[in-house]
Each structure stands twice: as C-alpha cells, then as structure tokens.
C-alpha cells in the first residue's frame, strides 16, 4: 500500500503541475476553445479513477499510520481541489487567483505526503 500511495501521490503532483502549465498556455492562446469530448473528457476519465484510488488509500493509511500533520479532511479537500484544478485548466475563463490557491493547497498536501513517505513522521 505504501508504494502505491507514493506512486499515486507523485502522479497527482505531476498532474497538478501540468494543470498549472496548461492553464498558463491556454491563457496565451487567442480564440482557444477546448474540445470537450476529444480532449477534456478522455483526460478526466483517465485522471479521476487514480485520484479516487489515492483518496481511499490515503484515508486508510492515515487511520493506520497516524501521520502527525496530515489529516483526512486535507485528503478530501485535496481530492476536490484536484478535480477543479484539472478540469478548470482546460478553460480560459477560469478565475486564475482561485485556481492558483487550489493549486498551491494541492502542492502543499501532496509534497507533505511525499516527504513523510520518504523521511517519516518527524520530517514534516
């Protein structure tokens, strides 16, 4: 379970970063409109199951290992924020300030989990 959590957390961290870059790119493209069924839906269909699996595994891991600074509500918030960040990154009319706040919150939790998994409870 521990290796899978680390693998999924790394994947979600990379996807969070990709979402930021994608939004930045979309904001610079004149007249860009995403193809929902050709671009957005296939991406989300691949992303969401991994994110959902990560959420369940992390909640189970928190119950078992009781990390000091990672709580189940952070996992739930991160899951919801990841939904929003990935989906909104395809659209130019996204509220950038709110997007970046969610991105930063995701980054903090995901990096905290990765640090914990690498170094243990005293590291975060």
């Amino acid at each position: 379970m521990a290796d899978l959590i680390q693998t999924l957390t790394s994947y979600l961290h990379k996807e969070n970063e990709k979402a930021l870059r994608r939004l930045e790119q979309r904001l610079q493209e004149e007249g860009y409109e995403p193809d929902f069924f050709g671009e957005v839906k296939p991406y989300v269909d691949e992303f969401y199951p991994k994110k959902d699996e990560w959420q369940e595994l992390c909640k189970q891991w928190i119950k078992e290992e009781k990390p000091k600074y990672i709580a189940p509500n952070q996992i739930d918030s991160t899951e919801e924020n990841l939904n929003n960040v990935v989906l909104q990154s395809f659209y130019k009319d996204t509220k950038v300030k709110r997007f970046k706040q969610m991105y930063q919150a995701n980054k903090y939790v995901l990096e905290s989990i990765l640090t914990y998994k690498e170094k243990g409870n005293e590291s975060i």
Side-chain angles (χ1 to χ4, degrees):
M1 178 172 77
D3 288 343
L4 185 53
I5 290 173
Q6 192 159 2
T7 300
L8 289 170
T9 303
S10 293
Y11 167 78
L12 295 175
H13 187 273
K14 288 174 188 165
E15 291 301 315
N16 193 51
E17 296 298 321
K18 278 188 200 176
L20 177 64
R21 288 192 306 274
R22 183 173 32 257
L23 178 64
E24 289 170 345
Q25 180 183 2
R26 298 296 187 253
L27 292 172
Q28 295 177 4
E29 294 176 6
E30 285 290 320
Y32 173 80
E33 286 295 322
D35 174 6
F36 181 78
F37 290 104
E39 183 180 13
V40 179
K41 187 175 182 335
Y43 193 91
V44 169
D45 285 348
E46 181 182 329
F47 176 77
Y48 276 27
K50 291 177 184 177
K51 175 201 44 78
D52 293 341
E53 181 181 13
W54 170 83
Q55 181 184 23
E56 292 306 314
L57 287 171
C58 280
K59 289 170 115 177
Q60 181 181 354
W61 167 68
I62 289 169
K63 282 181 187 176
E64 292 172 7
E65 202 158 318
K66 297 176 180 50
K68 257 188 200 178
Y69 301 111
I70 303 169
N73 63 339
Q74 287 176 295
I75 301 302
D76 291 338
S77 294
T78 302
E79 185 270 340
E80 186 176 329
N81 286 343
L82 283 165
N83 285 342
N84 291 322
V85 164
V86 167
L87 190 56
Q88 290 175 12
S89 69
F90 287 94
Y91 297 95
K92 288 179 79 158
D93 62 347
T94 294
K95 305 283 188 239
V96 177
K97 182 178 178 182
R98 178 70 180 127
F99 177 93
K100 287 188 176 182
Q101 289 171 338
M102 289 186 291
Y103 159 81
Q104 285 293 341
N106 293 343
K107 184 176 178 176
Y108 174 79
V109 171
L110 295 168
E111 286 179 353
S112 293
I113 293 170
L114 289 172
T115 300
Y116 180 90
K117 293 307 242 173
E118 290 173 12
K119 299 181 181 175
N121 213 12
E122 300 306 317
S123 62
I124 55 175

